[in-house]
Amino acid sequence: MASASATGKLSREEFRRQKDLDAARKAGTAPAALDEEGHAINPHIPQYIAQAPWYLDTGAPSLSHQRMPDYDRIPEKLDSWYDRGAKAGPAAKKYRKGACENCGAMTHKKQDCLERPRRRGAKFTNTDIAADEVIQEVAGGYDAKRDRWNGYDPAEHKRVYDEYEAVEAARQKLREEEIDKQTTTDLAAVRKVAKAGHEKAARDDDFGSSDEEDEDADKYADAADAVGQKLDTKTRITVRNLRIREDTAKYLINLDPSSAYYDPKTRSMRDNPVKNISPEEAIFAGDNFLRHSGEAPEVQKLQLFAWNAAARGNDVHMNANPTQGQLLHQAYQHKKDKLKDMTKVSILAKYGGEEYLETAPKELLQGQTEEYVEFSRTGQVIKGKERALIRSKYPEDVYVNNHTAVWGSWYDPSSGQWGYACCHSSIHLSYCTGEAGIDAARASSAKQLLASAASTTMPPPPVPVFSSTAEERKKKAEELYSKKRLGEGDLSLDKERLSEALNEERKRKARGDDTDDRFGKRQKGSEVSQEELEAYRMNRRMTEDPMANYVDTEV
């Protein structure tokens, strides 16, 4: 299988022979494959190990892609790096064809030139031609390519030492000048300043003297941090990163696990740990309370303005140029207020109502007075001036059309309407009639009309007479339900005419004629006879009868 990588796409016959050869090599009947160095390749190595990737494939069976490259075996591989600024001899006198048009060097082109672009290149001036650089080929391995200090010269760090030594020398000189100005006679202080920096070699490396401790204390006194603060002496920016040890930690204010959450990574507690205490009286009210106090809201508004301006295409950034952002925000606020005033003036000029905007200042509206008012338990004023009642925006106590009460002061429960209490009139803007209107309204009420009609038309109810015998009760029933009482007791019908009328009525019903000929006869001058009326009644369909549509289908 190791030799499969050296071949391309095989035919079916070649693939079969390759399979047979690999099986023979594994069985030991065929010799093993050899790499480019003559070493035998184990036929039992899997194909995914023996087959080289496409970027390392040499076209022959090999395991070199699994071995360490030769350039990684060199011990000096980390020391070999580009020689920065190396030149390949002196510069040329004249411009050469194919050289850089800007500086005249042969080792690169114009687009790769690192010199400052000249106004007229060396191709046209033929002067100040740069020397050719040395093209170096440094074969870096895996670790050499990823070494961040590869090519660094440790001698460059000497400049840092020189800078610190220069600062210490300048500080020592300033101290000497301060001592000279004070004109002190303390020889110990003079000697200590004079000996500073000269006795370091003579002192013991393991144990320092008291003079050395005093010198260190004076040297680092300016750079010492305040308690709970990080102070940079160069920038003078104070950053609070630790609390004072005497203060109570914010996570110890309330030990309830369900209280405000404390983030130990950022040392922040956003909510108030003690809810029943107002933020003004609490020792610590949470980080959110601090964010909304002082100048923090203004900074948030400024940052929001910068984000909105950047989203609209303006080059505004609070961290890169805070002064520009603040000036632009001030100009924006000025234009916004000006536009708001212009809009207000235009609306007032069009619709009016400027007098309603003139109100008293809040100091007078919500201010305190010297008036003493004492109230009882029921809310009544005992001493002092009673507060005036709040009046509505509608006109009150305005009487029109000779009324002495306002509309809505009286309600008629019988009709469910409102009216005037002075005349009981339910018509709005009607003329007042006084007591006469009240009497007329009372007389014309529905209750009064029903009472008067009942008293004049209906006779008094009969007094019930109780009979003791059965004959009297039967006679009374005949009087109540007889045809004579209903108005039909005196009628006498002719049977022949009644039969004829019934036949005519049945024929009319059979024809489906809804028109009534009896009315036609009445129009001609003849009246409807009693027999025809009785036939109509007998054949009339009783729609209110529940058994009118009943048909017995079982018969």
Side-chain angles (χ1 to χ4, degrees):
M1 297 295 292
S3 61
S5 61
T7 59
K9 187 175 181 181
L10 303 178
S11 63
R12 182 176 299 178
E13 185 66 23
E14 292 175 347
F15 181 75
R16 186 181 60 79
R17 279 184 287 174
Q18 185 68 35
K19 280 286 190 180
D20 295 341
L21 180 60
D22 293 338
R25 285 174 178 174
K26 290 180 180 180
T29 57
L34 302 177
D35 58 1
E36 63 270 7
E37 297 179 359
H39 300 291
I41 299 177
N42 190 350
H44 298 283
I45 295 177
Q47 183 182 6
Y48 71 91
I49 295 178
Q51 187 175 3
W54 60 270
Y55 51 88
L56 295 177
D57 193 3
T58 58
S62 174
L63 292 176
S64 60
H65 59 278
Q66 296 289 348
R67 300 186 182 95
M68 184 182 297
D70 295 336
Y71 54 80
D72 283 346
R73 299 178 182 177
I74 304 174
E76 297 84 6
K77 61 181 179 179
L78 296 178
D79 297 334
S80 60
W81 200 246
Y82 300 98
D83 189 4
R84 302 179 186 273
K87 302 295 181 181
K93 301 295 184 180
K94 297 172 62 177
Y95 178 78
R96 294 160 292 179
K97 185 178 181 180
C100 177
E101 299 180 0
N102 185 43
C103 65
M106 289 290 296
T107 53
H108 61 270
K109 297 297 181 181
K110 181 180 180 181
Q111 57 268 22
D112 301 329
C113 185
L114 300 179
E115 281 195 9
R116 179 181 60 84
R118 302 180 184 181
R119 186 175 183 182
R120 295 184 65 193
K123 178 180 180 181
F124 304 100
T125 58
N126 207 13
T127 57
D128 195 11
I129 296 176
D132 299 340
E133 297 91 354
V134 177
I135 304 300
Q136 306 174 29
E137 293 293 338
V138 178
Y142 180 85
D143 49 355
K145 292 178 181 178
R146 289 159 179 80
D147 186 10
R148 59 192 299 264
W149 294 103
N150 195 358
Y152 176 74
D153 187 7
E156 295 181 2
H157 193 62
K158 188 175 182 302
R159 293 184 299 176
V160 180
Y161 286 100
D162 297 341
E163 181 181 357
Y164 275 90
E165 289 178 359
V167 172
E168 291 296 332
R171 186 175 296 175
Q172 179 180 353
K173 186 176 180 181
L174 289 176
R175 289 177 181 173
E176 292 177 357
E177 292 178 358
E178 291 177 359
I179 293 175
D180 293 340
K181 290 179 181 178
Q182 293 176 1
T183 62
T184 180
T185 58
D186 190 0
L187 297 178
V190 177
R191 289 172 182 172
K192 183 172 67 174
V193 174
K195 290 180 181 179
H198 298 288
E199 297 180 356
K200 293 181 180 180
R203 291 171 184 169
D204 192 358
D205 295 337
D206 297 333
F207 302 98
S209 61
S210 60
D211 295 338
E212 182 181 358
E213 295 176 359
D214 296 339
E215 178 188 358
D216 294 339
D218 295 339
K219 182 188 299 182
Y220 300 106
D222 296 337
D225 294 342
V227 178
Q229 294 180 351
K230 181 181 179 182
L231 181 64
D232 191 355
T233 56
K234 296 182 180 180
T235 58
R236 295 294 177 184
I237 298 177
T238 303
V239 179
R240 183 72 178 267
N241 59 354
L242 291 175
R243 63 177 177 86
I244 302 176
R245 297 295 100 181
E246 290 80 6
D247 294 344
T248 304
K250 59 180 73 174
Y251 54 84
L252 296 178
I253 296 177
N254 190 357
L255 300 179
D256 188 5
S258 61
S259 62
Y261 173 72
Y262 174 74
D263 188 6
K265 184 176 181 180
T266 58
R267 297 175 183 174
S268 61
M269 182 180 287
R270 295 173 178 82
D271 296 336
N272 189 359
V274 185
K275 296 291 185 180
N276 55 357
I277 300 178
S278 60
E280 292 78 8
E281 299 177 359
I283 301 175
F284 176 75
D287 296 335
N288 289 338
F289 178 75
L290 300 177
R291 289 193 183 97
H292 297 285
S293 61
E295 297 181 356
E298 298 296 333
V299 176
Q300 293 178 0
K301 292 180 182 178
L302 195 60
Q303 182 65 57
L304 181 61
F305 167 76
W307 288 341
N308 294 335
R312 291 180 175 87
N314 299 321
D315 190 10
V316 181
H317 198 282
M318 287 304 301
N319 297 332
N321 196 348
T323 306
Q324 178 193 9
Q326 190 170 6
L327 292 177
L328 290 176
H329 186 246
Q330 291 178 359
Y332 168 75
Q333 289 291 343
H334 178 69
K335 291 181 180 179
K336 183 179 179 181
D337 296 341
K338 187 176 180 181
L339 181 61
K340 187 176 180 181
D341 295 339
M342 291 174 60
T343 306
K344 180 180 177 181
V345 170
S346 62
I347 292 175
L348 291 176
K350 185 175 182 180
Y351 300 102
E354 187 176 1
E355 62 275 6
Y356 299 105
L357 300 178
E358 298 177 358
T359 58
K362 293 184 179 180
E363 292 79 6
L364 298 178
L365 293 176
Q366 302 177 356
Q368 299 179 355
T369 61
E370 298 295 334
E371 297 179 359
Y372 176 76
V373 181
E374 184 176 348
F375 298 89
S376 64
R377 292 184 178 180
T378 58
Q380 298 178 356
V381 178
I382 300 176
K383 294 182 182 180
K385 183 180 179 182
E386 187 174 359
R387 185 176 299 177
L389 298 177
I390 300 176
R391 301 177 64 90
S392 65
K393 64 179 181 179
Y394 302 101
E396 298 181 1
D397 299 335
V398 178
Y399 307 110
V400 295
N401 295 338
N402 202 24
H403 286 284
T404 58
V406 296
W407 167 261
S409 58
W410 174 73
Y411 178 75
D412 187 6
S414 61
S415 62
Q417 295 180 353
W418 294 91
Y420 296 97
C422 56
C423 61
H424 289 189
S425 175
S426 60
I427 301 174
H428 189 231
L429 297 179
S430 62
Y431 194 81
C432 183
T433 56
E435 294 294 335
I438 296 176
D439 297 339
R442 188 181 295 111
S444 62
S445 62
K447 186 176 181 181
Q448 188 69 21
L449 292 175
L450 290 175
S452 60
S455 61
T456 56
T457 60
M458 293 185 63
V463 180
V465 178
F466 299 97
S467 60
S468 60
T469 63
E471 296 179 357
E472 292 180 358
R473 289 197 298 271
K474 185 177 180 181
K475 184 178 181 181
K476 189 65 177 178
E478 289 178 357
E479 292 179 357
L480 290 175
Y481 300 104
S482 64
K483 292 185 178 181
K484 184 176 181 181
R485 179 177 176 84
L486 297 176
E488 300 178 0
D490 299 336
L491 295 177
S492 60
L493 300 177
D494 190 357
K495 295 182 178 181
E496 295 181 359
R497 291 183 180 180
L498 180 60
S499 62
E500 292 177 0
L502 287 173
N503 294 330
E504 292 292 335
E505 186 68 21
R506 291 192 186 97
K507 291 179 181 180
R508 188 181 67 84
K509 291 287 186 180
R511 291 196 305 266
D513 189 5
D514 294 336
T515 60
D516 197 353
D517 295 339
R518 293 179 286 106
F519 295 99
K521 296 178 180 179
R522 187 171 53 181
Q523 292 176 1
K524 296 178 182 178
S526 62
E527 297 181 355
V528 179
S529 61
Q530 295 294 336
E531 290 78 3
E532 293 176 351
L533 183 59
E534 183 66 20
Y536 171 74
R537 289 176 180 175
M538 293 173 67
N539 291 312
R540 184 178 58 181
R541 186 177 182 85
M542 303 296 291
T543 56
E544 64 273 7
D545 187 3
M547 300 296 291
N549 296 326
Y550 175 74
V551 178
D552 193 359
T553 59
E554 295 181 357
V555 180

